[in-house]
Structure formats: C-alpha cells, structure tokens
Amino acid sequence: MKTLIEIKKGLEGQIGKRLKLTANGGRRKTVIRSGVLSEIYPSVFVVELDQEENAFERVSYSYADVLTEAVEINFDEEKSAAVIE
C-alpha cells in the first residue's frame, strides 16, 4: 500500500498528461471522467476535465481519496500495459 507522500510524488511526474478518473459518487454510483492532470498542491490535485463530457471545467481530489481507493487514476499511457497483463 502506498503512502500519501508516494502518491503525491507519483502524480508530480504526470502533470500535463491525460488520465481517466473513476470516482465513488456515493450511493453505489461510480463517476468516470477524462481530463488532464493540471496542478499539484500540498493536499490536493486538480484535473482539467474534457469539456464535451462534463458540465464543469475542473475537479480536485485529495491524495487521501486515492489512498482509500475512493478515486482511481489511470493515465492513458498505462492502458496498453493494463490490457497486456
């Protein structure tokens, strides 16, 4: 299991890259969004969302959301690797 610091450091090298977010929307609802990792802050990260799919431009999540698996992040480059495994 990763720590919050490891999650943050891992995301720092991915700024500007496309990703797909799978988030727990509550009440057994899953929300899937696409966008670009745009900013990293001490306790949250910001994703610029694709405008054709979403009503709002940006969304932010905490590193704890990733740690507790409330949010799952998949970068586009990892897609081919995930399919191969």
Side-chain angles (χ1 to χ4, degrees):
M1 186 192 240
K2 291 188 169 188
T3 66
L4 293 174
I5 295 166
E6 288 171 331
I7 292 167
K8 182 178 181 223
K9 284 190 190 304
L11 288 175
E12 283 173 350
Q14 303 288 337
I15 292 176
K17 294 191 179 169
R18 293 200 50 75
L19 57 82
K20 186 158 86 173
L21 267 167
T22 306
N24 181 348
R27 294 195 182 231
R28 296 190 200 129
K29 192 169 126 191
T30 302
V31 179
I32 299 174
R33 297 185 173 121
S34 302
V36 175
L37 180 62
S38 63
E39 297 170 72
I40 300 283
Y41 293 103
S43 56
V44 297
F45 59 95
V46 178
V47 177
E48 297 277 342
L49 298 173
D50 293 341
Q51 288 308 292
E52 61 275 5
E53 296 176 13
N54 299 283
F56 38 93
E57 294 176 18
R58 298 159 47 122
V59 65
S60 64
Y61 292 100
S62 72
Y63 305 112
D65 291 334
V66 178
L67 182 69
T68 60
E69 299 178 357
V71 174
E72 183 182 316
I73 303 170
N74 293 303
F75 287 93
D76 285 355
E77 296 87 10
E78 294 175 0
K79 258 186 207 167
S80 56
V83 171
I84 293 167
E85 292 174 2

